[in-house]
Amino acid sequence: TPPPGPAGEENTQPGQTARPQCSAGYYCPEATLDSKTYPGPMGYYGQQASVTPTFMCPLGSYRNATRGQAAGDCFTCPPGYYCGDVGLTAPSGLCASGWYCVQNATAIQPGSNEGGRCPTGSFCPAGSSFATLCTAGYY
């Protein structure tokens, strides 16, 4: 068995002096023999030579798979939903009734760049991604 290596590197061969960096999408705590032992968890992404699951997916996104390697591996929150925290493994929930959420919304009642309040003369059930005009004679 090879001796333990430093964090962020793999020690796969006995007598190995030049150790490969931990693979992107994985993390290598101290004494890691194989980076594939520690896949980056859902909601995170990690670059090469990561010692811990380094980065949480940002607000307005989520990641429901392991081994993310870059921020672009986080999925944008879909229209009609909001992602109100970092490191999410799924959207936080549906946009509130009376409001609509476009892609990347971060609040259940989003601000103007992420959606907004349903305008007069339209309706927005929970989970709306756009306002629907009311039929003539209704409000």
Side-chain angles (χ1 to χ4, degrees), residues 13-60:
Q13 304 294 319
Q16 185 175 16
T17 55
R19 296 180 175 97
Q21 291 184 329
C22 190
S23 302
Y26 296 84
Y27 65 101
C28 296
E30 190 173 346
T32 298
L33 297 178
D34 181 3
S35 67
K36 306 302 188 254
T37 305
Y38 301 100
M42 294 189 297
Y44 287 78
Y45 64 95
Q47 299 165 337
Q48 190 171 11
S50 294
V51 176
T52 61
T54 348
F55 304 104
M56 291 184 191
C57 288
L59 276 172

Side-chain angles (χ1 to χ4, degrees), residues 78-82 94-103 105-120 122-132:
Y81 292 84
Y82 73 100
L94 293 172
C95 187
S97 179
W99 297 77
Y100 64 97
C101 295
V102 297
Q103 189 169 326
T106 60
I108 194 167
Q109 296 176 341
S112 61
N113 61 334
E114 298 177 350
R117 184 182 297 275
C118 202
T120 303
S122 60
F123 65 99
C124 300
S128 293
S129 57
F130 57 88
T132 303

Side-chain angles (χ1 to χ4, degrees), residues 4 7 14 24 44 57 64-65 68 75-77 89-90 98 104 107 110 113 123 134:
Y44 287 78
C57 288
N64 61 357
F75 306 110
T76 55
C77 207
T89 59
N104 291 6
N113 61 334
F123 65 99
C134 294

